[in-house]
Amino acid sequence: MLFQTLLVFLKFPLLGLVEDTSLAEVKRAFGAANIPETIHLPFQPQVLLKVTFPVVGAKPVTLHAGIQLPRKVTAGPPFYNVIGSQSKGPFVVAAVDPDVPTPQDPSVAQIPHFLGGNFFLKSLKAPTFLSNNTPAITEFRQPRPHAGSDPHRYIFLLFNQSKGFDNQTLVNSTSSLALFNISAFASTVGLGQPIGGTFMLVGPEPST
Ligand SMILES: *[C@@H]1O[C@H](CO)[C@@H](O)[C@H](O)[C@H]1NC(C)=O
Ligand SMILES: *[C@@H]1O[C@H](CO)[C@@H](O)[C@H](O)[C@H]1NC(C)=O
Ligand SMILES: *[C@@H]1O[C@H](CO)[C@@H](O)[C@H](O)[C@H]1NC(C)=O
Ligand SMILES: *[C@@H]1O[C@H](CO)[C@@H](O)[C@H](O)[C@H]1NC(C)=O
């Protein structure tokens, strides 16, 4: 019985149990996964970005940086929360996959998995989810790595929203998703560096 419990625990050691609590740890995880180099953005987090996936019939799953999740948990759309902020917003949330079609040959990366702005915290004291008052530029898309690929990194980033964001014309809901560049986007739209982030690994669905 104990052995079985241990096995279950080892199989899903982190689901819902561990969340990011340390900026230094998130920064370390980004570095260990080569994320700043991959997406050409420095990462000096000032706040924790919490990304939580609702799961039908089970407890929601909140990411910690670098967690590998079964694809079925990632249907989303996720909820976002910000811990440690001095400002209620507005914020921009972006999620990108830099590993398309594979981490070894990311020839069509990045693919945006979410891009939205005008996110606000209702309160700096009570932990509430971010809510946005405009439609996202591109809505959340579930990870879909191709069969045979190693797991992809799905990177969520939080930015202070810039004045130019609402008027940006680089991306809209009908834009091609291929070859997105979050660094170039952030620079053009004036977002600067991310103030928070986290990421998950998702592999192809096991073939049945
Ligand atoms: C983001 O905004 C907050 C609050 O206005 C400010 O303290 C912080 O320095 C900003 N961060 C960056 C990277 O601009
Ligand atoms: C954005 O566009 C609106 C409407 O065209 C304009 O009133 C506003 O000044 C623009 N804002 C910026 C920051 O360019
Ligand atoms: C959407 O963005 C594309 C470029 O990605 C542009 O060619 C197109 O005109 C834009 N559509 C609208 C409705 O703004
Ligand atoms: C993305 O844009 C940055 C500039 O912000 C550039 O250095 C980098 O090479 C671009 N990445 C790709 C894959 O084009």
Side-chain angles (χ1 to χ4, degrees), residues 8 12 16 66 90-91 101 113 148 201:
V8 169
F12 299 105
F91 302 105
H113 278 256
L201 303 174

Side-chain angles (χ1 to χ4, degrees), residues 46 86-87 160 193-195:
Q46 304 172 344
Q86 303 301 310
S87 136
N160 283 341
Q193 299 181 11
I195 59 167

Side-chain angles (χ1 to χ4, degrees), residues 38-81:
T38 304
I39 63 173
H40 301 277
L41 271 178
F43 186 65
Q44 306 288 350
Q46 304 172 344
V47 298
L48 292 170
L49 173 64
K50 301 240 169 183
V51 178
T52 300
F53 284 94
V55 182
V56 175
K59 281 179 67 176
V61 173
T62 298
L63 304 191
H64 73 93
I67 189 174
Q68 180 156 357
L69 289 181
R71 182 175 175 270
K72 62 176 192 285
V73 168
T74 63
F79 299 103
Y80 305 105
N81 197 359

Side-chain angles (χ1 to χ4, degrees), residues 114-193:
F114 181 77
L115 183 59
N118 298 299
F119 278 101
F120 290 90
L121 280 171
K122 287 210 177 67
S123 153
L124 293 179
K125 296 201 187 86
T128 52
F129 292 116
L130 286 180
S131 52
N132 56 344
N133 59 16
T134 55
I137 296 173
T138 59
E139 291 292 353
F140 180 77
R141 307 173 65 244
Q142 185 177 13
R144 192 178 294 274
H146 286 231
S149 170
D150 284 341
H152 294 197
R153 295 165 289 179
Y154 294 88
I155 305 161
F156 293 84
L157 299 169
L158 182 79
F159 297 89
N160 283 341
Q161 185 165 323
S162 57
K163 292 202 165 56
F165 180 81
D166 277 331
N167 287 7
Q168 68 83 26
T169 53
L170 293 175
V171 189
N172 56 52
S173 57
T174 62
S175 303
S176 157
L177 295 170
L179 296 176
F180 182 66
N181 184 329
I182 186 64
S183 161
F185 179 84
S187 159
T188 305
V189 177
L191 293 176
Q193 299 181 11

